[in-house]
Amino acid sequence: MKYIDTNIIEINSINPDEESVLKGAELIRKGKLVAFPTETVYGLGANGLDVKAIANIFTAKGRPQDNPLILHVYSIDQVEELAIDISKEARELMKEFWPGPLTLLFKKSTKVPNIITAGLDTVAIRMPDHPIALKLIEMSQVPIAAPSANTSGRPSPTMASHVEEDLSGKIDMIIDGGTTGVGLESTVLDITGKQPIILRPGGITLEDLRNIVPTVVEDQGIIHEDIVPRSPGQKYKHYAPKAKLILFTGEVDNMVKAISKKAYIYISQGRNVGIMATDETIGRYKEGISISMGSRKDSRTIAHNLFNTIRILDSKGVDIILCEGMERSGIGTAIMNRLKKASSGNIKKV
Ligand code: AMP
Ligand code: MG
């Protein structure tokens, strides 16, 4: 792959400077790749109607061609052009949760290139809740295709430095707007069939969605190990540290004991051990490099810190990460979905 000079610019997230955002928008219009912050994670953006630019996203990330991309819009008018048969439920969900971390699947219009949808007849669309992202899309005057701005398989980026680590020399610009809020990718909801179904858990929870559309269910493939998930993206190895990650589930006290014991064994074998702990438990680990992701009473903070904690432990050169599991409710479902993937199924029930 040809080396590209990556220009990094800082933009204030709360009140973005229009001239700076315009530089990014001009690059998008020219078919270039621009990473930008959203409220979930950093996205790697390209003109969503430019087949060549979209192909470059797949190359820069090393993303499998059969994993479709999400189109990002700044107005519902844009959705009218990209989707057909927009249902009443879809309109209610857009009204309630947009801008926000909810991606909706629609029947695609002919305007959407096949490379976006990996040949499927549905297209995923979302309106991000971030002033830089919204301004960038508006100024580009096109929908922006944007998967997470990481190398495929690595943890998603929640800071510009993570994007730099993975994609420097492969993309044209990184807009540094500070740390992202939610820290996990959007919820993906398929509302094109009879039963609305969550294909990927994320920032908007099952409970949130059921308040608007009570019939929403979760794809069993995102909950159970032995069921194949429906969404193409869910079948790939994902969010993985360089180290081997082992996920523990069960009562908190049992997890702490099991992790401490494992840490002791690995360290006596001369291995470097990292521990992903919580405020309530961190004081109990006597060995290894332990980092708290936040309080168990505040799973939003744990979600916010999750990917960064994995990257920090990687940068400390650990070869084993022992991670505490969380309760599977609210955003905990999304946290456990990412951790399950990061562990490649290496899960110890204690
Ligand atoms: P990301 O790479 O984080 O942008 O993730 C996009 C997610 O949305 C992946 O899990 C994709 O597989 C999923 N996705 C995008 N478009 C579709 C679609 N048309 N049908 C099903 N899943 C989709
Ligand atoms: Mg991704």
Side-chain angles (χ1 to χ4, degrees):
M1 211 180 131
K2 199 178 92 211
Y3 178 87
I4 302 171
D5 243 335
T6 307
N7 185 12
I8 303 173
I9 62 169
E10 259 181 62
I11 301 185
N12 182 293
S13 259
I14 297 156
N15 200 358
D17 171 53
E18 294 209 355
E19 244 174 73
S20 306
V21 178
L22 187 62
K23 286 190 190 138
E26 277 167 352
L27 287 176
I28 295 274
R29 291 192 62 78
K30 280 193 212 145
K32 308 284 184 191
L33 302 185
V34 177
F36 60 97
T38 78
E39 84 283 28
T40 58
V41 300
Y42 273 76
L44 177 58
N47 177 348
L49 305 176
D50 178 339
V51 174
K52 254 198 187 151
I54 300 162
N56 287 337
I57 289 186
F58 284 89
T59 311
K61 277 182 61 84
R63 185 177 173 102
Q65 292 285 342
D66 66 347
N67 191 7
L69 302 178
I70 297 171
L71 284 179
H72 292 69
V73 299
Y74 81 98
S75 76
I76 299 208
D77 282 350
Q78 281 184 297
V79 180
E80 312 281 352
E81 290 186 17
L82 302 166
I84 55 172
D85 301 342
I86 303 171
S87 66
K88 191 173 120 267
E89 283 82 13
R91 290 194 189 277
E92 281 167 8
L93 290 166
M94 287 191 276
K95 195 167 155 222
E96 180 69 25
F97 296 111
W98 282 12
L102 175 66
T103 297
L104 295 171
L105 292 198
F106 298 92
K107 291 243 160 64
K108 81 186 257 304
S109 79
T110 51
K111 207 171 164 186
V112 178
N114 285 326
I115 185 170
I116 288 284
T117 64
L120 298 170
D121 60 358
T122 52
V123 58
I125 308 181
R126 137 174 148 87
M127 189 189 290
D129 187 13
H130 194 290
I132 294 178
L134 289 171
K135 228 335 110 294
L136 183 70
I137 307 165
E138 183 180 359
M139 289 185 144
S140 306
Q141 298 172 291
V142 288
I144 294 187
S148 48
N150 52 292
T151 300
S152 258
R154 297 266 301 137
S156 297
T158 56
M159 298 178 190
S161 60
H162 300 163
V163 183
E164 206 183 332
E165 208 174 279
D166 282 13
L167 298 177
S168 185
K170 297 180 176 175
I171 64 176
D172 300 277
M173 179 179 270
I174 300 171
I175 298 178
D176 182 352
T179 307
T180 61
V182 180
L184 298 181
E185 304 80 353
S186 60
T187 303
V188 178
L189 181 71
D190 184 354
I191 36 158
T192 60
K194 279 212 175 73
Q195 177 129 53
I197 176 162
I198 296 177
L199 301 183
R200 175 175 75 182
I204 302 287
T205 65
L206 175 67
E207 297 79 5
D208 295 335
L209 293 168
R210 282 193 176 158
N211 283 334
I212 308 300
V213 180
T215 51
V216 174
V217 293
E218 278 173 322
D219 175 14
Q220 293 302 301
I222 60 180
I223 305 166
H224 300 291
E225 289 299 312
D226 42 354
I227 300 176
V228 181
R230 291 176 180 232
S231 176
Q234 289 283 320
K235 67 174 185 272
Y236 291 108
K237 184 174 168 194
H238 245 102
Y239 319 116
K242 293 173 190 142
K244 171 179 164 183
L245 189 146
I246 306 173
L247 173 62
F248 289 75
T249 63
E251 294 285 321
V252 175
D253 200 49
N254 293 346
M255 287 193 287
V256 174
K257 284 182 188 146
I259 290 174
S260 301
K261 199 168 147 196
K262 267 267 186 269
Y264 174 80
I265 294 169
Y266 281 124
I267 288 166
S268 60
Q269 291 169 352
R271 311 253 229 147
N272 248 334
V273 173
I275 298 173
M276 291 168 72
T278 48
D279 290 357
E280 288 80 359
T281 60
I282 188 151
R284 295 176 61 189
Y285 296 111
K286 302 295 173 230
E287 283 169 293
I289 303 170
S290 46
I291 300 180
S292 172
M293 299 175 278
S295 166
R296 291 190 159 270
K297 295 189 203 90
D298 177 12
S299 37
R300 293 259 156 204
T301 298
I302 293 180
H304 173 83
N305 291 327
L306 187 73
F307 289 136
N308 190 36
T309 308
I310 296 179
R311 282 190 185 250
I312 291 173
L313 287 174
D314 261 346
S315 72
K316 292 192 183 294
V318 303
D319 31 42
I320 305 271
I321 296 176
L322 307 173
C323 178
E324 291 178 13
M326 303 298 148
E327 222 172 281
R328 256 178 248 260
S329 63
I331 199 162
T333 312
I335 296 172
M336 287 303 278
N337 168 269
R338 307 309 191 268
L339 284 175
K340 249 173 62 182
K341 287 200 175 326
S343 74
S344 299
N346 217 324
I347 303 167
K348 297 240 177 313
K349 200 162 184 295
V350 293

